[in-house]
Structure formats: C-alpha cells, structure tokens
C-alpha cells in the first residue's frame, strides 16, 4: 500500500470503520464499490476542481470594475489553493516537486502557443509573463496533482509496464512535437501510434474498497483525456482562454484536442512515474490486514 497523507489516513480510517459492515458481494457490494470509485476520483481531482470552480465563479460574478484584474485574482486564488493543499497535507512535498515541474513545462508551452496564436488570454493584469497569465501554469499543475493523487488513493499497480527510459524518450518526443509541428511535419499520429505500441500491453490494477479491478492503461489515458477535454470546455466557456475559432462566439472545443490531451497525459504519467516507480500487481494472494476505503 502506498503511503497516504495524514488527512487521507484520517478519512480512510473513518470510511473504513463506517463501511466495515458493508456486504462483500451482491448488488449492494457493487454499488458500494461504484460509489467509492466516484468519491475517490472526486478526491483526486480536488485541486483541479477547486481551480475550475474559481474560474467558473469568476466568470459569473467577478465585478467588471474591480480594482484587481480577474486574471490576477485567478492567479492569487490558484496560489492560495496550492498552499492549502500542502499546508493541510493533501499533497506531500515530494509530490509538489513533480507538480511544480509540470507547471513549468506547461508555462513554457503556453508562452510559445500564445505567441503563435494557438489560443489567447484577455490582456489584463500584471501577474503574467508576456501574454500568459500566471494562473495558466496551475491548470497544468492540476493535471499533475490529479495524477499523483490517483496513484495513491487507488494504490495503482501495473502489469507489463514499459521500461521507464523508453517512456521518457516518448514523452520528450511528444513535448518537442507540441512546438515543432508549427514548422515541420506534425508527428502526433505517429506519436499516438507509439503510445499504443509502448503502453498497449500494460494493464492497470487499482483497488477501490475490497476489490481490485483491471483496465488497459491506454483506455485509462483516454478516459482521463476525455474528462480534461470536458473541463477545458468549461474553462473556455468561462473565458479563461479562447481558441481563435471561439473569438466570435463560444462553441465546444474541437474533438481533435482530445488527441492533444491524450498525448499530454503521457508527459504527466512519465513525470509521476519518476516519483512513484510503477509497481507490479501483488500476486501473493495475501489480503491486507484491514479493508481500506
């Protein structure tokens, strides 16, 4: 079992005591596992969900004549959320290093992408670098936060995980292509095929309550990319940023962006894998001393 934070241990212990009498088979057992799966996913998304809620709320209620620019308010709110995550021990300092690195990786890409016109932010506020408000990096950090948290709360294990140096080379190629495709041939479909080949045999094992489940890792990548795309639609509707095609009126983000988020997922997975080495499934058949929630 990977180590939980202090707050997670407290919640886990309370939930386990509450669920100790839950049935271990039948419909009620399945409903319990399904409910806990949703709650754990929500828990893993707490950073991103909090930031998205602030972005959504600011779009609806932030005063147009406020002395503090909305983008600066969002940056300050993102910093406060991150500080609270560490201060309340919802994230460890070890994990924070990965989140900060992903923040920097995302900010560098933001600077380039806004420069070539891939998307744009409202030109307001002082807490920005060039045309990029500083809160934008926290949106990438939210993806990193989700990845490290889901790794813990679901005790992820991997059968036939590829060699990490191979995944690192793949992640580097994906990152370079986000820049180079503006000047040379776009290799995203080649990289997408490479992801399927490299990760295609890998199966993710995860525990919800009493039972362990399995899922092809590529399918998990796709599902997470889909939820990020949904969050992106909420963020663009809230005018956190806009694509060129949305400047004259908002509409759903193109489904092509799913490929971009899918590939960006690989970068976050590789970064997290250097903090938490992917472990194989436990095949001993020994049950844990107590069922955790």
């Amino acid at each position: 079992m990977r180590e939980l934070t202090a707050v997670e241990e407290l919640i886990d212990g309370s939930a386990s005591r509450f669920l100790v009498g839950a049935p271990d088979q039948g419909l009620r057992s399945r409903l319990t596992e399904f409910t806990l799966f949703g709650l754990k996913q929500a828990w893993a998304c707490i950073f991103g969900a909090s930031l998205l809620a602030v972005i959504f709320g600011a779009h609806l209620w932030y005063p147009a004549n406020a002395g503090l620019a909305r983008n600066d308010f969002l940056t300050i709110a993102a910093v406060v959320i991150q500080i609270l995550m560490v201060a309340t021990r919802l994230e460890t300092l070890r994990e924070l290093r990965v989140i900060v690195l992903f923040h920097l990786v995302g900010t560098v890409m933001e600077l380039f992408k806004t420069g070539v016109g891939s998307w744009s932010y409202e030109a307001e506020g002082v807490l920005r670098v060039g045309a990029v408000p500083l809160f934008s990096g926290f949106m990438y950090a939210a993806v990193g936060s989700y990845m490290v948290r889901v790794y813990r709360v679901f005790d992820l294990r991997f059968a036939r995980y590829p060699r990490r140096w191979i995944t690192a080379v793949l992640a580097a190629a994906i990152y370079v292509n986000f820049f180079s495709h503006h000047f040379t041939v776009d290799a995203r479909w080649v990289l997408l095929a490479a992801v399927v080949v490299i990760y295609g045999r890998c199966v993710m094992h995860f525990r919800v309550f009493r039972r362990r489940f399995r899922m092809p890792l590529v399918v998990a990548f796709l599902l997470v990319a889909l939820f990020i795309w949904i969050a992106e639609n909420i963020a663009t509707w809230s005018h956190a940023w806009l694509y060129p095609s949305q400047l004259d009126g908002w509409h759903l983000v193109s489904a092509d962006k799913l490929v971009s988020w899918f590939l960006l997922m690989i970068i976050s997975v590789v970064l997290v894998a250097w903090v938490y080495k992917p472990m194989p499934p436990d095949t001993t058949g020994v049950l844990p001393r107590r069922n955790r929630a």
Side-chain angles (χ1 to χ4, degrees):
M1 174 66 63
R2 292 186 174 87
E3 183 180 356
L4 301 177
T5 65
V7 174
E8 288 168 342
E9 283 282 4
L10 179 62
I11 295 173
D12 183 76
S14 299
S16 295
R17 288 190 294 273
F18 177 77
L19 293 169
V20 68
D24 57 4
Q25 57 184 342
L27 179 60
R28 288 181 60 192
S29 172
R30 294 187 182 93
L31 288 175
T32 299
E33 297 281 350
F34 180 78
T35 302
L36 283 175
F37 176 82
L39 291 173
K40 283 190 171 188
Q41 285 288 347
W43 180 250
C45 292
I46 189 169
F47 183 96
S50 299
L51 182 57
L52 191 62
V54 171
I55 291 172
F56 184 81
H59 175 67
L60 293 178
W61 299 299
Y62 198 73
N65 58 350
L68 182 68
R70 189 183 71 141
N71 282 352
D72 288 348
F73 165 77
L74 293 177
T75 298
I76 294 171
V79 172
V80 170
I81 292 171
Q82 183 63 83
I83 291 174
L84 288 174
M85 292 288 290
V86 176
T88 57
R89 299 183 181 181
L90 298 182
E91 286 175 355
T92 67
L93 292 176
R94 181 185 182 191
E95 293 165 350
L96 184 62
R97 292 199 298 269
V98 175
I99 294 168
V100 169
L101 180 57
F102 201 54
H103 185 127
L104 295 174
V105 166
T107 299
V108 170
M109 190 164 67
E110 286 282 330
L111 288 168
F112 177 83
K113 290 291 190 178
T114 54
V116 298
S118 295
W119 55 78
S120 61
Y121 295 88
E122 293 181 358
E124 60 177 13
V126 296
L127 300 179
R128 56 192 174 99
V129 178
V132 180
L134 296 182
F135 79 84
S136 65
F138 286 94
M139 294 185 289
Y140 293 88
V143 177
S145 175
Y146 168 80
M147 294 302 301
V148 294
R149 292 168 63 75
V150 80
Y151 220 77
R152 277 202 320 270
V153 299
F154 285 100
D155 189 27
L156 298 187
R157 304 296 176 107
F158 304 91
R160 298 184 296 276
Y161 193 88
R163 294 183 181 275
R164 286 192 293 172
W165 72 266
I166 296 177
T167 65
V169 170
L170 175 62
I174 289 171
Y175 190 64
V176 169
N177 188 70
F178 278 121
F179 299 87
S180 64
H181 81 85
H182 290 279
F183 311 107
T184 60
V185 176
D186 188 354
R188 71 177 60 196
W189 297 108
V190 175
L191 293 168
L192 187 63
V195 171
V196 174
V197 170
I198 292 172
Y199 286 96
R201 297 178 61 250
C202 184
V203 177
M204 180 179 72
H205 294 241
F206 60 97
R207 181 188 53 77
V208 179
F209 177 41
R210 290 194 176 109
R211 298 175 58 191
R212 275 199 167 274
F213 300 86
R214 295 181 296 172
M215 178 185 295
L217 188 55
V218 172
V219 174
F221 290 162
L222 181 60
L223 291 174
V224 174
L226 176 61
F227 278 100
I228 295 174
W229 178 79
I230 293 172
E232 182 182 37
N233 276 285
I234 296 173
T236 54
W237 180 85
S238 302
H239 285 214
W241 74 91
L242 290 172
Y243 291 102
S245 63
Q246 296 175 319
L247 294 176
D248 294 328
W250 182 85
H251 56 79
L252 285 175
V253 176
S254 169
D256 290 345
K257 292 296 180 182
L258 275 170
V259 177
S260 297
W261 284 115
F262 182 92
L263 292 174
L264 193 66
M265 277 286 303
I266 306 305
I267 298 175
S268 63
V269 168
V270 169
L271 289 176
V272 173
W274 287 100
V275 173
Y276 291 121
K277 182 179 179 180
M279 301 297 292
D282 183 4
T283 58
T284 62
V286 177
L287 294 175
R289 287 187 299 170
R290 66 183 180 92
N291 290 317
R292 290 180 178 265

